[in-house]
Amino acid sequence: MASPPTCALRSASRSDHGAWRKKGGGNHAVAAPFLFAQVGRAGLTVAIIIAAIILVIFVGRNLWHARVLHQEERTGVANDA
């Protein structure tokens, strides 16, 4: 009696976890959604960092401008620095 054919995934031993994925070729449909999720997460992280930098600059400039206006009101002299 002949043994049933084995799948390439089942022939790998338990000690080399996921080694069949690293050899190239094969089933890329499994890895593609994970890759796109990582790229999307990285893009979102970059967008959040850029938005935070813009927010910090905007708030800092507004605070500086409020301080300059208050100083000009007190002294009556324009501070163009």
Side-chain angles (χ1 to χ4, degrees):
M1 181 174 211
S3 63
T6 58
C7 177
L9 299 178
R10 291 184 185 171
S11 66
S13 69
R14 289 181 174 234
S15 63
D16 62 349
H17 298 286
W20 58 273
R21 292 184 192 165
K22 297 176 186 174
K23 293 181 181 177
N27 188 1
H28 292 293
V30 175
F34 180 69
L35 177 63
F36 291 134
Q38 283 184 333
V39 171
R41 188 176 300 149
L44 181 63
T45 302
V46 169
I48 289 172
I49 290 171
I50 290 173
I53 290 171
I54 291 171
L55 182 67
V56 166
I57 291 171
F58 180 76
V59 169
R61 176 135 172 101
N62 280 336
L63 291 174
W64 169 81
H65 190 246
R67 186 179 53 101
V68 168
L69 286 178
H70 182 68
Q71 182 181 6
E72 287 176 0
E73 287 176 358
R74 269 190 304 126
T75 61
V77 177
N79 183 6
D80 293 333

